[in-house]
Amino acid sequence: MINAFYDRVERDGLLAPFFPAGVHAEHRRNVATWWCEVFGGPAEYSGRLGGYERMLEKHRRLGITDAQRFRFASLMSLAADDAGMPDDPEFRCALVAHLEWGTRIALANSQTDAAVVEHAPVPRWGWGEAPPYGP
């Protein structure tokens, strides 16, 4: 799913500017490690790559727009199709809800004047369980 997503990002006029040299293999691996942890796999992103704090730092001051946030969520949903992830309504509803939740936090955290939550665990995906967001 992550490779399918970044393949789409590299061809997308709205998101590709975040990666002017393309999306390198290490970035793809690190993001895949993040999503493995989010989906309930081993806590390797937290243990080996810096956890929530590193992901926060990667998004701070990017100035993500709402159009970019929406495109990210849309391309991730399409990438789930590309990767053959389950297409049942319950799974897709929960996945899209998580993407909406996470991208809205990333958008808020990316603004120059953001009041961010400095320390938190890597969020875990679930069947509609997202904690209330608050800066």
Side-chain angles (χ1 to χ4, degrees):
M1 183 174 88
I2 298 308
N3 281 328
F5 169 71
Y6 282 119
D7 290 348
R8 286 178 177 274
V9 165
E10 289 180 332
R11 298 185 305 267
D12 186 84
L14 202 53
L15 297 181
F18 285 119
F19 304 95
V23 185
H24 55 81
E26 180 182 10
H27 182 81
R28 290 171 184 244
R29 276 192 310 273
N30 290 348
V31 172
T33 302
W34 166 269
W35 279 98
C36 284
E37 186 169 335
V38 166
F39 279 124
E44 283 189 47
Y45 195 91
S46 292
R48 189 170 51 85
L49 296 173
Y52 165 87
E53 290 79 5
R54 179 178 179 181
M55 187 62 73
L56 173 65
E57 191 55 37
K58 294 292 182 182
H59 290 89
R60 287 183 95 166
R61 294 171 295 284
L62 284 179
I64 297 168
T65 67
D66 193 56
Q68 290 166 325
R69 179 211 65 77
F70 182 77
R71 184 71 54 84
F72 179 102
S74 299
L75 293 184
M76 279 292 279
S77 183
L78 291 169
D81 292 337
D82 296 340
M85 295 195 70
D87 64 356
D88 62 275
E90 295 79 13
F91 174 77
R92 286 308 175 101
C93 179
L95 177 63
V96 169
H98 187 85
L99 291 169
E100 281 290 320
W101 175 79
T103 58
R104 289 172 190 278
I105 292 172
L107 181 143
N109 287 342
S110 76
Q111 306 310 307
T112 55
D113 60 347
V116 301
V117 175
E118 296 284 345
H119 304 287
V122 169
R124 294 297 182 125
W125 176 86
W127 293 100
E129 308 96 19
Y133 172 70

